[in-house]
Amino acid sequence: MIVLTVVVIALLIAGLAFYLFWVGTLLTGIATNLEACDESVRQVNRDAARIGPGVEHVNRSGATVAGALPLLYGFAEKIVVKASPNAVRPDVAVPASGRRRSRLFDGVGYSPR
């Protein structure tokens, strides 16, 4: 009976040793991947530092253009009505969902008819 207990304990220790070796191998692979990711993150941060000031300028320009869009919509509708070859000037086609409303109208001082 004592011999069987010693054999079972030896098998348990061997199984745990194999398990720890396997887990160690997996963790070594993960550590290697994390080192590669660390360098990639550093490169992304360096690139982002160069791009940052330009993004702020693009955002300001985009806000200016977005603010002017309602005025451009209105001007385009007036041009379409004037350029129509029909003797009777029809209204500009309106989608089934209705005219597009935007909060940007208030920002630029435009009020549609």
Side-chain angles (χ1 to χ4, degrees):
M1 190 68 148
I2 294 176
V3 174
L4 183 61
T5 304
V6 171
V7 170
V8 169
I9 291 174
L11 286 175
L12 180 64
I13 291 173
L16 288 174
F18 175 75
Y19 174 75
L20 289 174
F21 175 76
W22 178 63
V23 169
T25 304
L26 291 176
L27 289 175
T28 302
I30 291 170
T32 304
N33 288 340
L34 285 176
E35 286 179 23
C37 289
D38 181 51
E39 182 55 37
S40 297
V41 168
R42 289 175 198 252
Q43 183 62 40
V44 167
N45 285 337
R46 285 192 293 268
D47 293 341
R50 294 181 197 144
I51 295 171
V55 171
E56 293 172 6
H57 175 69
V58 168
N59 285 342
R60 281 194 308 272
S61 299
T64 302
V65 170
L69 284 177
L71 289 173
L72 294 174
Y73 293 150
F75 293 146
E77 288 178 354
K78 290 177 185 175
I79 290 171
V80 167
V81 169
K82 290 179 183 175
S84 174
N86 298 333
V88 177
R89 304 241 190 253
D91 286 337
V92 176
V94 177
S97 60
R99 287 195 182 273
R100 179 183 159 129
R101 298 284 305 162
S102 174
R103 288 179 280 155
L104 295 174
F105 287 155
D106 300 330
V108 295
Y110 174 74
S111 59
R113 34 182 162 120

